Amino acid sequence: MTFYQTLQQATAAERERLFNAPIIEACRRGDISRQTYLTFLAQAFYHVRHTVPLLMATGGKLGQEYEWVRGAIKEYVEEEYGHQEWILNDIRACGGDADAVRHGHPEQPIELMVAFLYDQIARGNPMAFFGMVQVLEGTSVAIATTVAGQLTSGLGLPPQAMSYLSSHGALDQEHLKFFEGLMNRVEQPEDQAAIIHSAKVVYRLYGDMLYSLTERH
């Protein structure tokens, strides 16, 4: 079994809980309010704006023997740079207050998720960062494109209000193949354990954010 397969298997329960969040099914039906979508976009902004800083922090903490990982990080930085601005543009297209979001603060699940990742990089094993990649890119591939289509019709929003979801559904399919290849080169047991642990935590916290959207809905 490859490490990517092991990672998928080890996090199956956490992934199932996330995909069972009622908001996902509601989105597939196009049955959410504009305000709920705006709340989701705000929380997305609060973690996406940290993607490049987290990548850079990870690269800076890795030793020389991880140069192959640093090369992958460089590609990720080039791909991910500026995506938080896409989210703000979507918020504006929905009639939301993008400036308030830019200067605001995340709710607890996303705040804890980001803090956890910085802590793992600084005090633990920086390879733990890739647990977040496992969760967010896998989630995007599974739901983003379908959800974007349903929301466009259900909420009557223009396509430019869905740029973050629409782009990530297709984009992350390629990213996930790249990620699988990268994970299959991870051989150190301590690195594998750190990635699995991180993915479990991020599945839980990102899932908590999705479940909280249902409570609002």
Side-chain angles (χ1 to χ4, degrees):
M1 188 182 294
T2 66
F3 174 57
Y4 180 75
Q5 291 170 332
T6 300
L7 175 60
Q8 290 290 93
Q9 186 178 80
T11 59
E14 290 80 8
R15 184 164 52 257
E16 182 178 6
R17 173 185 178 268
L18 185 150
F19 286 147
N20 283 337
I23 195 66
I24 292 178
E25 182 56 35
C27 286
R28 287 189 173 128
R29 298 192 307 267
D31 181 26
I32 73 166
S33 67
R34 184 179 300 227
Q35 186 55 51
T36 299
Y37 178 53
L38 284 168
T39 301
F40 165 77
L41 287 175
Q43 297 310 303
F45 172 80
Y46 293 129
H47 70 79
V48 170
R49 70 177 174 184
H50 288 283
T51 301
V52 169
L54 284 165
L55 281 161
M56 296 173 78
T58 299
K61 291 285 285 187
L62 293 171
Q64 292 183 3
E65 67 273 23
Y66 289 91
E67 200 59 41
W68 58 279
V69 180
R70 227 184 321 270
I73 287 173
K74 175 179 176 291
E75 291 193 39
Y76 275 119
V77 168
E78 291 173 348
E79 286 282 351
E80 298 294 330
Y81 187 81
H83 286 195
Q84 72 274 17
E85 296 298 327
W86 296 4
I87 299 173
L88 294 179
N89 289 338
D90 286 352
I91 290 170
R92 291 186 190 96
C94 290
D97 189 340
D99 288 336
V101 172
R102 186 193 296 276
H103 300 293
H105 300 281
E107 294 184 2
Q108 191 176 75
I110 296 303
E111 184 169 24
L112 291 175
M113 186 180 91
V114 171
F116 166 77
L117 291 164
Y118 277 115
D119 185 65
Q120 291 298 294
I121 294 166
R123 294 194 310 118
N125 185 332
M127 290 293 285
F129 167 80
F130 291 100
M132 182 188 80
V133 181
Q134 155 77 5
V135 175
L136 296 182
E137 292 196 350
T139 302
S140 292
V141 167
I143 66 173
T145 305
T146 302
V147 165
Q150 290 298 326
L151 288 180
T152 300
S153 57
L155 292 178
L157 293 171
Q160 58 265 36
M162 300 288 164
S163 62
Y164 172 66
L165 283 178
S166 298
S167 63
H168 278 68
L171 189 62
D172 286 345
Q173 288 183 14
E174 298 177 16
H175 283 187
L176 209 52
K177 292 178 184 176
F178 180 75
F179 176 70
E180 180 176 354
L182 184 67
M183 290 299 95
N184 286 339
R185 295 180 65 186
V186 178
E187 297 178 350
Q188 296 299 319
E190 61 269 25
D191 293 341
Q192 294 180 350
I195 293 167
I196 290 171
H197 171 64
S198 176
K200 285 175 175 283
V201 172
V202 175
Y203 269 124
R204 179 72 196 198
L205 292 170
Y206 192 73
D208 286 349
M209 183 273 288
L210 293 178
Y211 276 88
S212 76
L213 294 176
T214 307
E215 294 164 9
R216 297 166 185 277
H217 181 59

